[in-house]
Amino acid sequence: MSELIYRKNGDYLLPDLGLTEAERKPLGKYGRMRQRYLEESRPGLYTRLLLSGNLMTHLQEIEETAQNRLDNLMNHLTKEAGVTEELKAQNQMAWVGLMNNCKAQAEEMILSELIYA
């Protein structure tokens, strides 16, 4: 751990705390969901990650993994369901319905595998 730098503010010396690289990057949907789950259901793990300085890194990893998993699952599920550009051109409502169905399935898998595990 690096040495803390203090700055003078009136009569007081205050630590000059900066954000790490992981803390500067905003969390996405899945990172925020994981954070809420840890806070509400796993407070011990949440506190341990927070105090060790690894919380944001963990949440960023979950976000990145979830996004990659969503992309892979959507490719697989849309092929399996027969969702094509031809269907999109012929029947947009059916295409939208199938895409929504595939996304709901993929998100359910992601939630059970990554967010609430």
Side-chain angles (χ1 to χ4, degrees), residues 18-91:
L19 298 175
T20 65
E21 191 64 35
E23 292 170 332
R24 285 189 198 116
K25 188 175 176 185
L27 283 177
K29 171 184 175 179
Y30 300 110
R32 289 189 314 269
M33 289 173 79
R34 177 69 175 174
Q35 182 178 16
R36 190 170 331 130
Y37 167 74
L38 291 174
E39 283 180 63
E40 294 172 1
S41 302
R42 306 281 306 275
L45 177 58
Y46 176 79
T47 303
R48 189 171 67 232
L49 287 168
L50 182 63
L51 293 176
S52 68
N54 294 326
L55 178 63
M56 290 305 288
T57 304
H58 171 74
L59 297 175
Q60 291 293 347
E61 287 174 6
I62 292 291
E63 177 69 30
E64 185 178 326
T65 304
Q67 286 296 333
N68 291 337
R69 184 87 171 112
L70 179 65
D71 293 341
N72 291 338
L73 283 171
M74 284 299 290
N75 285 336
H76 176 71
L77 292 172
T78 53
K79 285 178 187 171
E80 207 173 79
V83 180
T84 61
E85 289 298 317
E86 185 178 304
L87 176 63
K88 184 178 179 181
Q90 291 175 354
N91 189 347

Side-chain angles (χ1 to χ4, degrees), residues 34 37-38 42 45 58 110-117:
R34 177 69 175 174
Y37 167 74
L38 291 174
R42 306 281 306 275
L45 177 58
H58 171 74
I110 289 169
L111 294 178
S112 66
E113 293 172 3
L114 295 172
I115 306 302
Y116 304 129

